Amino acid sequence: MDAVGNPTRALLVNLVDGILRVRQLQRELGENAGVPIEPPKQTRLLDACMTVPGVCMAAVPGAGGYDAIFCIVLSQESGNAVERVWSEWTEMSVGPLLAKQASSGVSVLDSKLYPSLMAMLE
C-alpha cells in the first residue's frame, strides 16, 4: 500500500520530507552566516542515520555546531540500528546519550509548588 492509501504512512512521509527541508535550510543559513550549523561531517552522519529503516528524523538541534545530533526512531529495533551506525562511525567521535519517551501521559501539577515560576507568569 502506498502513502496515498495509508494516512499514517502519508503523515510519516511528510514528516521525513519536512525534516529534510529543515536541514537543507539550516545548511543554507549556516553557509550564509559563516557558521557551521550542520557541518559536512554531521551531514554525512545524519544522512547515514536517515537510511536506517524506521528513522523518521535525524538532525542537528538548536544552533548546531559539532556538539549534538538527534534521531527519532519508530521502534527499538531502529534505535539499535542507529546505535550500530554511531558505534561504527569513524569520521568523527560519536557518543550517544540515549533517551526514551515518557509513558505517563499528561500530568497536572499544583502551581502552588512553583511560586517563583508563577510570579514570572503574572
Side-chain angles (χ1 to χ4, degrees):
M1 180 180 293
D2 61 6
V4 174
N6 184 324
T8 301
R9 184 176 291 172
L11 289 171
L12 288 171
V13 167
N14 287 340
L15 178 66
V16 170
D17 289 345
I19 195 63
L20 292 174
R21 178 71 176 134
V22 167
R23 286 183 52 211
Q24 176 188 4
L25 292 171
Q26 283 183 314
R27 286 190 301 273
E28 289 176 20
L29 177 63
E31 289 170 14
N32 291 335
V35 177
I37 296 173
E38 186 184 296
K41 286 183 179 183
Q42 283 186 321
T43 296
R44 289 186 287 276
L45 175 58
L46 292 168
D47 289 347
C49 292
M50 288 295 293
T51 66
V52 173
V55 172
C56 63
M57 218 182 267
V60 173
Y66 293 93
D67 62 343
I69 66 168
F70 71 88
C71 292
I72 297 179
V73 298
L74 300 177
S75 70
Q76 183 63 48
E77 181 181 338
S78 299
N80 293 341
V82 168
E83 285 183 53
R84 282 191 298 278
V85 169
W86 291 349
S87 69
E88 296 168 2
W89 199 255
T90 58
E91 186 173 357
M92 61 190 295
S93 176
V94 180
L97 299 172
L98 305 174
K100 296 191 184 302
Q101 80 284 356
S103 300
S104 60
V106 177
S107 299
V108 177
L109 301 175
D110 183 356
S111 60
K112 294 174 190 158
L113 297 173
Y114 307 95
S116 58
L117 175 61
M118 297 313 295
M120 288 190 316
L121 297 174
E122 291 176 348

